[in-house]
Amino acid sequence: MKKLLLAGGLLSLAAFSLPNPPVDKKHPQATDPNTTAEVPKDNKLVIYQLMTRLFGNKVALNKPYGTIAENGCGKFNDINDKALDEIKALGVSHVWYTGVIEHATMTDYTSQGIPADDADVVKGRAGSPYAIKDYYDVAPDLAVTVKNRMAEYEALIKRTHDHGLKVLMDFIPNHVARSYKSDAKPAGVVDLGATDDKTKAFAPNNNFYYLPGKAFVVPASYNPLGPLKGPREDGKYAENPAKATGNDVFSEAPSVNDWFETVKLNYGVDYQNGRATHFEPVPDTWKKMRDILVFWAGKNVDGFRCDMVEMVPVEFWAWVIPELKKVKPDLVFIGEAYNPKEYKTYLDKGHFDFLYDKVGLYDDLRKLMRQEGTTEDITKVWKEESNGFASHMLRFLENHDEQRIASKDFATDPKRAIPAMTVTATLASGPVMLYFGQEVGEPGHGTEGFSSEDGRTSIFDYWGVPEHQKWLNQGKFDGGKLVYEQKQLREFYSRLLNATSKSEAIRKGRFYELQDANNLGKEYNQKHLYTYLRYTDKQQVLVVVNFSSEKTYKPTITIPADVMTKMGLSNKKFYTYTNLLTDDEPRNTLNLTLAPLSAYVFEIKSK
């Protein structure tokens, strides 16, 4: 394993080093180009995403294509009281347990009454957690005692709640594994596809799309386990008639680059006939998916991260989310979305509470972290892309789909997250998310098997996550094996997320950008520096970050007199500025020294 490089001394961390929004009459939109008319909502969830299969795994062998016996696998029970205490101490409010629902896998559980899967339609030895095999069951990999797997998950939900944390889990609505068959469905539930008319390519109440007269063809170039032989691997998979593939491929022979291991669910859209819709009466798939959500809500989960929501008609969400909130009004629905032009549609019409801000703030901060963009990209996000609904955008720098910050494919140096994560957490009053291992600079090294050396931590293979395992410390969850620089990095994340979760101004304050007020300053390089205010009547916060990895700047930050008045502060008083990210003494001026990759979150207080 390669040593984590935190060159340059992390001592710079000492700086830590819906419908049209209501108009606030006290703060009208007017013509001020530095703010918006949005009245922020206190939606500051702090989400910790963990890949359940990987989080508690103590095995460090990391053999490419390794089996569960060789490379190990985390369990529900590994996420114990100590682990939850430490997650809570980071400032977290919600834990997203990723990969819980049973999915196709190459691991044999036939002795437990679970049918085996065919390697020809499974990606990775462990299998994709997004190729669902049974919506009503949990992955046997995650249980210490397989027959008690649901009880072990239910115990984790209770344990999480006992620690003052809420539980999020995946809902994968667009596609299922080719081997889908529910063995755990409640009495009276009719399985997906059980009553389909397979002679028809499309029928409004079919659960799947078919290609009558054609048999499914496994991609010729697919090699499930590289040099090894997978279970039942022969280049064939019996499916006749073939079903449409999950990423909207209506061919019996999808390519190896398609989601060929999955099949598309039919929500009443006839894709092959101009996308004609058949939503009345309510399609059978809608009802089945509602019942699945009700089932999991009944397990006392607090919300769902919904996969690829734009591949499912917004009319379904407009129907199903209110249906679920009749059952449990406080349920949270987070949508994985990538089309900024449709964000308002999925928030307003689709009733989502939150959507991913990937195509927007994430993409722009990624450029800045790679020293490729400018802070003007951030301005565009709040001024144009999420204007009016920033409180409903989930911000993050890592998740299971994206590259690790510390990877050579992204930013290499995990300290580059310091200014970017500060902006991610504090720019608006919507939720912020951290991916496990991010807080210790996990770089995602290694060719795990199905996953290549791509800067990501595999979701397809059995694997140990090396830098995270240093914090895990064989189940002690005490960071005992972390090096000094990693401990400092984790301390930064803890201080930032705790400040974010506790600060009234960050949770629900208005936003005011200070780039125009400072861009003529001799020491203010607006391409690298970004400054803004978050404020309520009770608290005022100033955020200043330096994205440059090389240059130190020494600006004197200006807050215009009219903006001080807008915040309810007097220009005739003196104020102190206390950095919420450090234990430094309050300062009396805004004559700053901004080290490379530094961040400040100042609380402004009357002297």
Side-chain angles (χ1 to χ4, degrees), residues 387-401:
N387 190 348
F389 50 88
S391 300
H392 297 275
M393 299 307 290
L394 167 65
R395 267 86 190 244
F396 54 83
L397 292 181
E398 285 190 0
N399 64 40
H400 67 278
D401 285 319

Side-chain angles (χ1 to χ4, degrees), residues 21-36:
V23 176
D24 186 339
K25 293 180 181 178
K26 286 176 64 179
H27 302 85
Q29 174 73 35
T31 57
D32 193 330
N34 300 298
T35 189
T36 76

